[in-house]
Amino acid sequence: MTEENQASITIEGVKINADELSENAKHLVVRLQSLQNDRNILAQQVQEKDILMSAYRNELILDYQKDKPVEDNKEEKKEAVKSNN
C-alpha cells in the first residue's frame, strides 16, 4: 500500500485522515484497508471463476449441439427406411 492510501480512508463518503486518529484507530485503518484489498481480490477471483464456468458451459452446449444433428439424421434415416418398406 502507498503512504497516500494509509494516510486517509473514506467511509460512507466521509474522508478520515489517519494522522488525526489514535494509534489504535490507525491500526484499524490499516486492517480495514487490508480487508478491503482481500475482498477486491476475492471479487476478482469470483469473476474469473464465473467467466470460466460460462466458457465451459458454452463449450458443452456446442459439443452437445454438434452431436445432436448426427442423432437426428439417424432417426430420419430409420424413418425413411421404414416408409420405403
Side-chain angles (χ1 to χ4, degrees), residues 1-9 17-19 29 33:
M1 284 184 265
T2 63
E3 284 186 34
E4 184 178 304
N5 286 343
Q6 293 178 342
S8 67
I9 189 167
N17 188 352
D19 294 333
V29 168
Q33 288 177 330

Side-chain angles (χ1 to χ4, degrees), residues 12-50:
E12 296 182 14
V14 178
K15 189 171 182 177
I16 300 171
N17 188 352
D19 294 333
E20 298 172 0
L21 300 173
S22 67
E23 287 301 313
N24 185 44
K26 288 179 185 178
H27 292 290
L28 293 175
V29 168
V30 170
R31 183 67 183 133
L32 182 59
Q33 288 177 330
S34 175
L35 289 170
Q36 288 174 334
N37 187 47
D38 290 349
R39 183 182 64 189
N40 292 340
I41 291 169
L42 289 171
Q44 182 178 1
Q45 289 174 343
V46 167
Q47 285 179 326
E48 290 170 355
K49 300 290 184 203
D50 285 344

